[in-house]
Amino acid sequence: MNRPQTIQIFLPDGSPRSVKIAEITNRVVKAVLVPRNKLEYISTREELKNVGIYFLFGASEETLKPQVYIGEAEDCLERLKQHNRKKEFWTHAVVIVSKINAFTKSHVKYLEHTAIQKAKEVNRYRTENLVVPTKPFVTESMEADLLDSFDTIKILLSTLNYPVYDKIDKQELTSKELFYLKSKGIQAEGDLIDDGFIVFKGSQLSKSTTPSCQENILKLRAKLIENAIVQEKENYLEFQEDYIFNAPSTAGGVVIGRATNGWKKWVNKEGQTLDAVKRN
């Protein structure tokens, strides 16, 4: 269950679009967000010259999901410089280090293993790591401490607008309210969330589209099929995983294959529109 938290974000060069250092004041880890073009600036500071784990973030129109690569290093600054020369996709890095310089190589290898494994399980981002590294041995008490640190890492990443580990709990949403779209023998279900409008795994899509269907909807449907997020069944298409759209109308258009006002088309079990429930 979520609880209130106080998070401090420091802007070392004063710019809200530059380097950010985020921490929960009573926790032992901190997150340093570094835009790729600020590597020279961050090199003048000490935060990244330390043992830690790091996340490289980028976006891709081809995969339909944001991308993340996760790694560990004894000197995170030097590792970022290596990735700056060799990896193309990333635009921002978030480096996690200990505020009290307590991390060892075993600690960050354990955190790397956990971070990659959980990222693949949640599946909010396309994880560029091909395999999950072997879990290193740590004592039972140290594992408990590291899992506590990982909980802090999840919160800090989400605060910095990288919700890698924010899993959508359909069961929890179902206990409150879901919205449905029915058309031409197909049915989809979804809900309005913080990031947009989610359509849940198992939802159906119309196979056909209308001649007046918007080009962006047609392209998005094609990409969903190309990336196996949507697969063809006998009489309809079907979502193979949860997918978050930027707006209810985009979600509705993709589902029924034509332009639609999603705020009016998505309805709850009582027949109330999304507009009536969420905007009135």
Side-chain angles (χ1 to χ4, degrees), residues 180-243:
Y180 303 88
L181 194 160
K182 299 178 182 179
S183 177
K184 301 177 183 177
I186 58 99
Q187 176 174 298
E189 56 183 15
D191 199 9
L192 193 66
I193 61 172
D194 293 343
D195 303 276
F197 191 89
I198 185 169
V199 176
F200 290 109
K201 177 181 178 180
S203 291
Q204 300 167 347
L205 305 84
S206 171
K207 269 192 171 182
S208 62
T209 59
T210 64
S212 60
C213 187
Q214 297 155 304
E215 185 177 355
N216 66 310
I217 296 294
L218 293 172
K219 286 182 176 179
L220 184 49
R221 281 171 62 97
K223 288 293 182 185
L224 288 168
I225 294 169
E226 181 183 330
N227 285 275
I229 296 170
V230 164
Q231 289 187 1
E232 186 171 346
K233 302 296 181 180
E234 186 175 352
N235 298 315
Y236 55 87
L237 305 173
E238 184 180 84
F239 280 92
Q240 301 304 297
E241 59 186 74
D242 300 340
Y243 188 78

Side-chain angles (χ1 to χ4, degrees), residues 57-229:
F57 292 104
S60 170
E61 291 184 1
E62 297 301 315
T63 64
L64 294 179
K65 287 184 179 180
Q67 299 165 276
V68 63
Y69 178 86
I70 303 166
E72 56 79 24
E74 294 185 55
D75 185 328
C76 289
L77 177 61
E78 286 304 312
R79 187 60 54 83
L80 288 192
K81 288 179 178 179
Q82 292 172 12
H83 287 316
N84 189 40
R85 293 190 292 269
K86 296 180 180 180
K87 287 191 182 296
E88 292 293 331
F89 79 93
W90 66 284
T91 60
H92 291 75
V94 176
V95 180
I96 308 295
V97 294
S98 167
K99 292 191 285 187
I100 56 174
N101 298 321
F103 282 161
T104 67
K105 188 71 170 177
S106 294
H107 295 156
V108 294
K109 279 191 168 294
Y110 180 89
L111 288 172
E112 178 195 40
H113 162 85
T114 303
I116 295 172
Q117 182 183 61
K118 296 298 184 184
K120 289 182 177 292
E121 288 175 6
V122 173
N123 200 28
R124 286 284 295 266
Y125 282 59
R126 174 178 169 138
T127 309
E128 296 300 309
N129 305 75
L130 298 180
V131 297
V132 178
T134 303
K135 179 181 177 180
F137 171 78
V138 293
T139 63
E140 185 177 5
S141 60
M142 182 52 65
E143 182 173 36
D145 287 344
L146 289 170
L147 289 175
D148 184 66
S149 291
F150 184 66
D151 285 341
T152 303
I153 291 168
K154 292 190 291 185
I155 294 167
L156 292 175
L157 284 172
S158 191
T159 299
L160 293 169
N161 206 29
Y162 296 106
V164 182
Y165 302 104
D166 290 9
K167 188 171 184 178
I168 307 298
D169 189 341
K170 181 183 176 184
Q171 197 167 24
E172 182 181 331
L173 291 172
T174 303
S175 67
K176 299 175 183 176
E177 188 168 43
L178 288 182
F179 290 85
Y180 303 88
L181 194 160
K182 299 178 182 179
S183 177
K184 301 177 183 177
I186 58 99
Q187 176 174 298
E189 56 183 15
D191 199 9
L192 193 66
I193 61 172
D194 293 343
D195 303 276
F197 191 89
I198 185 169
V199 176
F200 290 109
K201 177 181 178 180
S203 291
Q204 300 167 347
L205 305 84
S206 171
K207 269 192 171 182
S208 62
T209 59
T210 64
S212 60
C213 187
Q214 297 155 304
E215 185 177 355
N216 66 310
I217 296 294
L218 293 172
K219 286 182 176 179
L220 184 49
R221 281 171 62 97
K223 288 293 182 185
L224 288 168
I225 294 169
E226 181 183 330
N227 285 275
I229 296 170

Side-chain angles (χ1 to χ4, degrees), residues 3-9 23-27 155-156:
R3 65 182 190 277
Q5 308 251 18
T6 298
I7 296 175
Q8 174 179 289
I9 297 180
E23 59 181 282
I24 300 175
T25 52
N26 62 347
R27 298 303 179 99
I155 294 167
L156 292 175

